[in-house]
Amino acid sequence: MSSTPRGERLNIAIIGKRNAGKSSLINALVGQDIAIVSAVPGTTTDPVDKRYELLPLGPVTFFDTAGVDDTGELGEKRIKATQKILYRADIAIFVSDGNAFNNAELKMIEKIREMELPMLIVFNKKDIIPVCQENIAFCQKYSLPYISVSSVTKEGIDECKEKLIQLSPKYLKENRIIAGDLVEPGNSVILVTPIDTSAPKGRLILPQVQTLRDLLDRNCLVTVVQETELKSALDKTKEPPSLVITDSQVIEMVANIVPEEIPLTTFSILFARYKGELDILLEGINRLKTLQNGDKILIAEACSHHIQKDDIGRVKIPNWMQKFSQKDLIFDVYAGYDFPDNLEEYTVCIHCGGCMITPMEMNRRIKECYRRGVPITNYGMTIAFLQGVLERTIKPLLNTKEKKE
Ligand SMILES: Nc1nc2c(ncn2[C@@H]2O[C@H](COP(=O)(O)OP(=O)(O)OP(=O)(O)O)[C@@H](O)[C@H]2O)c(=O)[nH]1
Ligand code: SF4
Ligand SMILES: [Mg+2]
């Protein structure tokens, strides 16, 4: 299973003080000696990733880290490296022995709570140290899930796995719907997918394919067209479609063609909701309403793709934003796996659609900005907002929400 694409794996960071048994816990969870264990505190220094199949969740990567109470200049560096791991983690396991939490532990627990990263507290060494009541009261006070285990006798290890599954992102555990709840079986839906020079050769991108499948599962009649054929598709259908879903790049044109009474949304918006990110990304959009001279905008791209003459991230979005805000803004483009170290200096991050990375990895990038306090939104929603059609394209989703309530 190690060949599963990295992004599809659940990232679990193992955090805790030196000698708490972090590496031992990984071995106990995996059932093999894959991490180095020793009685000498400070054995694990740089973060190490260990891959494993955690049923029924699927592949996970455990990140074994240095102790949070590591000291000196090197210790500080190691704690910074641990912090970096936390930004991208899906779950943190905080390993402690039964003794009362020390200051370094409390500080790190607080940090993880502030990041709103799902965390499981594991009191290890149950066989030799009973958990002190103070620690249990602490977990209860902050509603932190906890469990007591022994990595040596393996007591509590199965329950620990169960707890991890409960903490994993919802969309990994549940069969979530992309667009199927916006329509009824038998409804017709039009998907607008431009095939321009920036479209990947020979294929549709994953969100388009997934949406198509989702609508077929709902027994819908789906028509897929390029924007140039949209008018003709609308003219040819006897009844107006129940929904039109478009790529955001052509939203302005599509919004003009599709009559106001036909519900219209974008792949970007549907996927933001599907992955539970819609609220974070809408918050990011709000930040675009109050831009000031000199604000720094980060245009983040998940891969270094071929740059077009009229590039969406480098040319189009910056131009539209300057025009909309009437302010002098500073734009930086950053492409690749990481975010810049100075992420916190940016007023807002506008992220590409992430077609080359998995939904899981995209979700992590969004969460990282959120955890580092930088508002984030995506290209699609930014375009819809700047073209004045965000409200219209969000509306079909709000209707379902109201129906459900
Ligand atoms: N009795 C008992 N000993 C344990 C348990 N878990 C770990 N140990 C022992 O505690 C010591 C430290 O274990 P490690 O797994 O290396 O701890 P760590 O947190 O990874 O330590 P560093 O990498 O040095 O930060 C070793 O001697 C382990 O054998 C446990 O559940 N019970
Ligand atoms: S991952 Fe982002 S930058 Fe790369 S091709 Fe897809 S949308 Fe463009
Ligand atoms: Mg270790």
Side-chain angles (χ1 to χ4, degrees), residues 22-23 36 43-44 64-65:
K22 302 179 294 300
S23 303
I36 301 170
T43 304
T44 310
D64 195 3
T65 62

Side-chain angles (χ1 to χ4, degrees), residues 33 69 74 134 150 153 178 200 211 221 251 258 289 301 310 322 361 369:
D33 285 342
D69 55 343
L74 255 182
E134 209 181 303
S150 165
T153 67
I178 299 167
T211 307
L221 286 69
I251 183 65
V258 177
K289 297 174 186 165
E301 298 198 327
D310 206 12
Q322 295 279 16
E361 184 51 31
C369 280

Side-chain angles (χ1 to χ4, degrees), residues 17-24 36-44 64-67 124-128 149-152:
K17 66 180 176 187
R18 284 171 297 175
N19 239 8
K22 302 179 294 300
S23 303
S24 305
I36 301 170
V37 168
S38 119
V40 182
T43 304
T44 310
D64 195 3
T65 62
N124 188 32
K125 307 198 182 183
K126 184 181 185 171
D127 53 310
I128 51 167
V149 308
S150 165
S151 299
V152 170

Side-chain angles (χ1 to χ4, degrees), residues 9 21 41 45 58 80 87 116 118 126 129 144 151 181 185 188 201 219 228 245 328 333 343 347 351 359 362 369 397:
R9 297 172 162 269
T45 51
K80 274 213 175 108
Y87 288 141
E116 296 179 35
K126 184 181 185 171
I129 313 173
L144 297 171
S151 299
D181 59 334
S188 55
K201 263 207 168 70
N219 300 99
T228 36
I245 305 169
D328 284 327
V333 181
L343 181 67
T347 307
H351 204 292
M362 185 65 199
C369 280
L397 281 69

Side-chain angles (χ1 to χ4, degrees), residues 269 278-291 321 324 347-350 375-386 390-391 394:
I269 290 171
L278 190 57
D279 290 343
I280 296 181
L281 299 180
L282 282 172
E283 242 179 84
I285 287 286
N286 273 335
R287 193 63 191 82
L288 302 185
K289 297 174 186 165
T290 55
L291 292 171
M321 279 183 71
F324 172 83
T347 307
V348 62
C349 167
I350 300 180
I376 175 167
T377 190
N378 65 19
Y379 280 13
M381 288 168 65
T382 302
I383 297 168
F385 170 72
L386 297 172
L390 185 65
E391 220 167 287
I394 291 279

